[in-house]
Amino acid sequence: MNARLSVRSVFKAFGATRALDGVDLEAASGQVHAIIGENGAGKSTLMAVLAGALAADGGEILVDGRPHRPLGPDDARRSGVGIVYQEPQLCPHLSVTENIVLGQEPTRYGWVDRRRARELAMRALDQVSVTERAAPIVPDELVQGLSASAQQLVEIARALAQAECRLLILDEPTSRLAADDVERLFEAIRRLRDAGTTILYVSHFLEEVQRIADRFTVLRDGRSVGSGVMAGTSRDELVRLMAGRDVAHTFQRSLRTPGACVLELRDLSGVWLPTSATLELRRGEVLGVAGLVGSGRTELLRAVFGLDPVRSGRIRVLAHVGPASPAKRLAAGVGMLSEDRKQEGLALGMSIADNLTLSRLRGLGPFSLVLPERQHRVAERWAARLGIRLRNVTQAASELSGGNQQKVALARLLHHDVDVLLLDEPTRGVDVASRTEVYRLIDELAKSGKAVLMVSSYLPELLGVCDRIAVMHRGVLGPARCTGELTQERVLKEATGA
């Protein structure tokens, strides 16, 4: 095998904790190599070491047979290594074009050639652009005005614009993409692979890596525990290697009896999206919302929770009629899990305990005081219930893996004991075993009488967890139908307007 990348006995420690504890990996040129493992297995740490964001404490890394010890990300890029992180690394105050060409701006007579820069940006966007049925990404638009999913596409386009890179790292690249956009991304990956680029593909979606990867390496507890050819390797075997045990990866949906209506929308429209949404959500049910990126799914939840303004239509949540602020929604028993945990879901600089209890401090001490010991006990109980991998609840949320951060955000809603849960991509970045636990929690919440409105781009998840599904197309929410009446093909047809 013509090794583009060789990783030998690499380790990396943070204090007494070894995030990498002897990782071995070989990836050939012109190959898609999947890196898989549970949350906290060391995947993101390894990618950060390769990309120059972290320095390894020991071991050897070779790129095309030469030692790879980058002094920083720029040094790694000059060595032909590029990366797209799971969370966007964009400059929100700059335009889409400026972000895509950032660091490699075309110049003319010493000045930035803006016309050429725009051409490069449009060419890159064409490779990963959303379908014509969804809102296009405008090269001149500021990134801060884009949705989380569109920002992810810009991030990928920026990496693809650096087509000269020989080793491209994609960390959960499809976590914010709809099915059509995933296909476009896969086409771009195959073209890069055929041109000789090596792609390290990190993902929790095993059905994706089985489709796109040539080989795989599994990490567990900071160690490489298995590798091989993807073709012929079963999903069960991958899960066993990841978890170190057999995992029943099943969706949870008990027999439920819906109760009283707790959320009613009648022709609801926002300033931009949604354009028309009508639905009824009842206690004891999980109602899913499907649709393409840019169709208005996230905007629907934001309008209900009070984050986005409502232009017209009727909205009733529990006993309250009309729009309300997020604070009033929370006080009334409505909670929202944002798809963008980095910008909206968590205060990353604060501790896990603070993040988990932030919206409900009552009961953590006398006279409106918060006793750290009591707060920590509460946080530890929720962390144990959701299987959050941490050193202790006093460490910063930013130190957790993306999937464990997602669990902290979900645990906050459970701690707040809300009656209506608005979940936007609740399992994004969550590993296979933990995803099953999230499904079990959602099922328990519904059985206990909670109402769940859930947005997801992963159709098997919606079909496996939800009682009813409504499909959104170009801002219009279709009627909710029983899951038993639907298939993935039918949902996709409705989402695309076919």
Side-chain angles (χ1 to χ4, degrees), residues 310-435:
V310 173
R311 183 176 61 181
S312 62
R314 170 185 166 85
I315 177 172
R316 179 178 68 82
V317 184
L318 298 169
H320 186 273
V321 178
S325 67
K328 289 183 178 179
R329 289 288 191 236
L330 268 173
V334 181
M336 179 175 171
L337 180 76
S338 172
E339 70 167 339
D340 189 351
R341 58 176 169 261
K342 184 177 181 180
Q343 298 295 331
E344 298 179 344
L346 296 171
L348 293 176
M350 298 177 69
S351 72
I352 296 166
D354 286 337
N355 271 281
L356 205 152
T357 60
L358 191 59
S359 68
R360 187 188 179 190
L361 299 173
R362 186 177 67 255
L364 299 180
F367 309 112
S368 300
L369 298 176
V370 175
L371 298 180
E373 183 178 346
R374 190 176 299 181
Q375 182 194 38
H376 294 168
R377 282 201 305 270
V378 170
E380 287 165 358
R381 187 167 64 248
W382 285 116
R385 183 177 175 187
L386 272 72
I388 301 172
R389 302 182 65 167
L390 43 74
R391 292 196 304 274
N392 54 65
V393 296
T394 62
Q395 73 181 107
S398 60
E399 298 177 10
L400 298 179
S401 66
N404 283 298
Q405 289 177 2
Q406 187 81 335
K407 292 183 191 178
V408 172
L410 182 58
R412 183 171 60 237
L413 297 186
L414 302 182
H415 168 70
H416 198 97
D417 196 26
V418 295
D419 288 319
V420 179
L421 293 94
L422 310 175
L423 306 181
D424 196 356
E425 304 286 0
T427 63
R428 186 174 69 84
V430 176
D431 62 67
V432 174
S434 299
R435 210 180 302 163

Side-chain angles (χ1 to χ4, degrees), residues 99-110:
N99 270 280
I100 289 176
V101 301
L102 190 63
Q104 54 169 10
E105 294 87 349
T107 58
R108 187 179 184 187
Y109 306 122

Side-chain angles (χ1 to χ4, degrees), residues 26 75 131 134 157 177 185 231 241 251 282-283 287 305 320 365 383 404-405 434 447 460:
E26 282 216 350
D75 195 18
T131 63
L177 305 185
L185 174 64
L241 286 169
F251 299 108
R282 301 184 178 277
R283 288 190 180 278
L287 176 57
F305 193 59
H320 186 273
N404 283 298
Q405 289 177 2
S434 299
K447 284 195 297 183

